[in-house]
């Protein structure tokens, strides 16, 4: 992928199998993407119902 990788692109990359050029393999159990600019954490359990967004700003910022 050319250019800047944002949180959406990262979720796509790690959600794509290794054989298709991504990062997910048969041993992948969960995935997470942290976006420092927004303080959001995206979590996904393989076989679940998609990504869960968690706002960490209350815990990470003064």
């Amino acid at each position: 992928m050319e250019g800047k990788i944002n949180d959406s692109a990262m979720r796509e990359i790690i959600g794509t199998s290794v054989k298709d050029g991504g990062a997910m393999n048969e041993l992948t159990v969960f995935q997470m993407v942290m976006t420092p600019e927004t303080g959001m954490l995206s979590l996904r359990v393989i076989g679940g119902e998609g990504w869960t967004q968690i706002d960490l700003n209350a815990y990470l910022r003064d």
Side-chain angles (χ1 to χ4, degrees):
M1 173 179 274
E2 271 188 50
K4 185 176 179 181
I5 296 178
N6 60 21
D7 55 345
S8 178
M10 182 58 74
R11 285 192 297 270
E12 184 177 333
I13 291 167
I14 67 174
T16 302
S17 71
V18 172
K19 69 179 181 170
D20 293 326
M24 186 167 60
N25 65 37
E26 67 278 354
L27 300 176
T28 302
V29 176
F30 70 94
Q31 298 172 317
M32 63 183 184
V33 175
M34 179 62 193
T35 310
E37 297 84 10
T38 63
M40 296 298 291
L41 175 65
S42 302
L43 294 175
R44 180 170 82 154
V45 175
I46 304 305
E49 297 185 18
W51 291 93
T52 299
Q53 304 293 321
I54 302 169
D55 185 349
L56 296 178
N57 283 298
Y59 306 103
L60 299 176
R61 305 196 194 281
D62 292 333

